[in-house]
Amino acid sequence: MNRPDMIRFPLLALSAVGLTPLAAQTPPPAVAPTLPVQNVPAPTVQPLPVPPPPVPIPALSPAQEAWANDWLKGGAAQGLMARQKASGPLRGDALVNALIDRAKALNTGRVDTADFLNIWALRPAPFDPRPSLAKAVSEDRLAQWSGTLTPPWAGYDTLRKGLAKYEGIRDRGGWPTLTASSAPDVVRARIALEDPAVTPNEKLVDVIQRAQRRYGLEPTGGLGARTLEALNVSVDDRIAAIMANMERWRWMPRTLPVNRVQVNIAAAVLTVFEGDQPVSSMRAVTGSPDNATPMLSSSIHSIVVNPPWNVPMSIAKRELFPKGRATLIKQGYKIVKTPEGGERIVQPAGPSSALGRLKFDFNNPFAVYLHDTPSRGKFSSYDRLASHGCIRLEKPVALAEQMVAADPNLNGQIQTLIDEGKTQRVSLPSQVAVYLLYWTAFANNSGTVSFRADPYGWDKLLAQKIEASSSRVDPTAAPSPNLASKD
């Protein structure tokens, strides 16, 4: 039992005694000494921060109450889920709570971020309307306050105009169902309900082509099956799409970088903005319905020239390993051992690499990026949702040249770097903001709306989440028949 760990403390105690002058030593105690209890201070428990009390809202004057009750009736005009419960004018705390709820809905959306899908990674900033509401009441500026709540973007405002237009069409009875044998005048009148540019003497083929472009369809000028399907979508469903996209606009930040790249996932189009103006666009290939491209914002920090493709394990297991090792090696893939003892697949850089010659990198939790592709055929198609989630670009070299133009050592050199054949990472002179967005409805200044299909079903899912959120806010509300219902 002569264990050093059992005698270490007594030895330390004895050695300390030996250092004390003899005259100062005291007789040994009659019993074995015990170790003194160390006066170790108890760990400090940091108190939880106490949130500040809610900003008090001054009592509204009778005139302010009248204005507020009237303003609350206009939720449908802003594309909000309607309240179904009929009630008289609100007063006091009930009115204040309704104003706060409406302000939050207009500013950051009806759906709480806790109810977002993870892949909806574009999240609105937190917003507390109480301070600005209190100030507006005290200064009698409620009308001006209400004007600051909605997104400041033209994309939102043009959809708001479009919503009013489509609700007017609905209130007048909607539109007829067309068939391939519908009379030309019937087809012309149907399209004119959405397109004010239609004239009585315009060639019908031109009228149909313009409608097809608004729906993202090939402009054949004929009433094919897909064109008829788009024309026969109900006006209620079109209103629902507009409202879903207005909700997504509320998730956008209130300021955007003036130089940025935006991808409309649903339309499979990339647009470059400089000075807050669109300066170029190109076709893209975005995620298929089974491999959705996420909504997010980030910053492109570098470009990889001649990138190899480290095949994601999900793709390797599902699509490549079943081909067999011999086939993969024959096709130019490399099978590499992992530190864990497994295997992964790498496609070396080169003209046949799935990533093409350029990859644009930006930080995100989904491992998606913009990239070139050797498969160019899809860019001529009107069905371009076909990737595993990343975004393939029609004109990657032109985009890269725009991004490095400010660096004299890189300006005009992208193709030269590609031709060198080496894999190398090029840092950008300054990072470029990138936004991946899901717009299935967007309008011009006159309120003429273009639509795209809802390939991921996110419009319908968002409508359900808005409905559920509205019911939680107002449990006594009756279920609305659809997203397009009015206050």
Side-chain angles (χ1 to χ4, degrees):
M1 297 292 292
N2 187 21
R3 290 173 52 188
D5 60 329
M6 296 289 287
I7 63 176
R8 177 167 47 145
F9 286 115
L11 284 175
L12 286 173
L14 289 173
S15 63
V17 170
L19 295 174
T20 307
L22 188 61
Q25 294 182 18
T26 57
V31 294
T34 58
L35 291 175
V37 178
Q38 299 290 329
N39 292 321
V40 178
T44 303
V45 178
Q46 295 294 336
L48 294 174
V50 178
V55 174
I57 308 297
L60 276 65
S61 69
Q64 289 175 330
E65 286 189 347
W67 179 91
N69 276 285
D70 188 59
W71 178 68
L72 288 170
K73 296 175 184 176
Q78 297 290 347
L80 296 177
M81 177 62 78
R83 297 302 180 82
Q84 300 299 309
K85 181 184 177 183
S87 63
L90 299 175
R91 293 184 176 83
D93 289 345
L95 179 57
V96 168
N97 290 338
L99 290 173
I100 290 171
D101 173 62
R102 177 60 55 82
K104 288 180 178 177
L106 289 175
N107 191 275
T108 59
R110 175 61 75 193
V111 179
D112 190 277
T113 54
D115 290 331
F116 279 31
L117 300 181
N118 288 336
I119 202 169
W120 297 352
L122 189 71
R123 306 297 172 89
F127 172 65
D128 179 6
R130 294 187 70 95
S132 59
L133 174 58
K135 189 172 186 292
V137 173
S138 64
E139 296 178 358
D140 198 20
R141 294 174 57 85
L142 281 174
Q144 292 85 344
W145 168 77
S146 68
T148 66
L149 298 173
T150 53
W153 308 114
Y156 178 87
D157 196 52
T158 53
L159 280 180
R160 183 184 57 78
K161 295 176 183 176
L163 177 63
K165 176 179 178 177
Y166 279 78
E167 287 189 328
I169 296 172
R170 178 199 58 194
D171 294 345
R172 292 189 295 271
W175 46 58
T177 299
L178 299 181
T179 67
S181 58
S182 293
D185 288 348
V186 174
V187 176
R188 187 189 308 275
R190 158 65 187 89
I191 296 176
L193 290 172
E194 296 183 87
D195 181 3
V198 173
T199 60
N201 298 323
E202 186 177 7
K203 291 181 180 179
L204 184 60
V205 65
D206 294 338
V207 173
I208 294 174
Q209 283 181 327
R210 198 159 57 246
Q212 289 167 329
R213 291 189 183 97
R214 286 193 302 104
Y215 300 140
L217 303 175
E218 184 176 2
T220 62
L223 286 179
R226 296 192 64 185
T227 301
L228 286 171
E229 181 183 9
L231 288 167
N232 289 332
V233 170
S234 72
V235 66
D236 278 340
D237 284 347
R238 292 303 191 198
I239 290 172
I242 293 172
M243 294 172 75
N245 283 270
M246 292 176 74
E247 178 80 356
R248 291 189 195 102
W249 271 110
R250 299 183 189 106
W251 303 348
M252 294 289 286
R254 293 310 169 102
T255 57
L256 289 172
V258 296
N259 300 326
R260 62 188 183 276
V261 168
Q262 289 184 191
V263 176
N264 183 344
I265 300 166
V269 171
L270 177 145
T271 303
V272 178
F273 285 77
E274 290 183 359
D276 212 27
Q277 296 296 319
V279 296
S280 64
S281 66
M282 67 184 73
R283 293 185 174 193
V285 175
T286 51
S288 69
D290 293 329
N291 299 278
T293 297
M295 286 187 283
L296 59 82
S297 65
S298 187
S299 293
I300 300 171
H301 52 74
S302 59
I303 300 171
V304 181
V305 182
N306 296 312
W309 183 34
N310 296 303
V311 182
M313 190 55 66
S314 59
I315 299 175
K317 289 181 177 179
R318 186 172 65 247
E319 300 179 21
L320 296 183
F321 276 126
K323 294 181 178 182
R325 302 173 67 89
T327 299
L328 292 175
I329 293 171
K330 184 178 180 181
Q331 292 177 345
Y333 292 99
K334 293 183 177 180
I335 301 174
V336 181
K337 293 291 185 182
T338 66
E340 298 79 16
E343 293 181 327
R344 63 184 178 88
I345 299 175
V346 177
Q347 187 181 35
S352 61
S353 168
L355 303 188
R357 296 296 196 169
L358 296 170
K359 181 178 104 167
F360 300 75
D361 268 342
F362 49 91
N363 297 331
N364 68 90
F366 306 98
V368 297
Y369 39 82
L370 314 179
H371 67 91
D372 182 22
T373 176
S375 304
R376 314 299 296 174
K378 205 64 177 169
F379 294 119
S380 62
S381 171
Y382 285 82
D383 297 301
R384 299 195 302 277
L385 278 78
S387 80
H388 290 98
C390 291
I391 297 97
R392 306 173 196 164
L393 302 179
E394 180 186 22
K395 304 172 185 175
V397 174
L399 180 63
E401 290 287 8
Q402 284 180 277
M403 291 185 178
V404 303
D407 186 335
N409 296 319
L410 294 173
N411 187 21
Q413 297 301 306
I414 293 297
Q415 188 60 52
T416 301
L417 294 175
I418 291 172
D419 294 342
E420 290 177 1
K422 297 186 300 184
T423 297
Q424 51 189 313
R425 183 178 293 276
V426 175
S427 296
L428 300 185
S430 58
Q431 296 193 9
V432 178
V434 59
Y435 291 83
L436 310 185
L437 309 169
Y438 188 76
W439 301 130
T440 57
F442 41 95
N444 61 21
N445 289 332
S446 68
T448 300
V449 185
S450 294
F451 293 97
R452 295 296 181 268
D454 180 19
Y456 302 161
W458 288 353
D459 284 357
K460 292 181 180 178
L461 180 60
L462 182 55
Q464 295 168 5
K465 289 180 176 292
I466 293 173
E467 177 72 47
S469 177
S470 296
S471 297
R472 284 197 297 272
V473 173
D474 182 2
T476 63
S480 59
N482 53 56
L483 188 60
S485 58
K486 282 192 169 185
D487 275 349

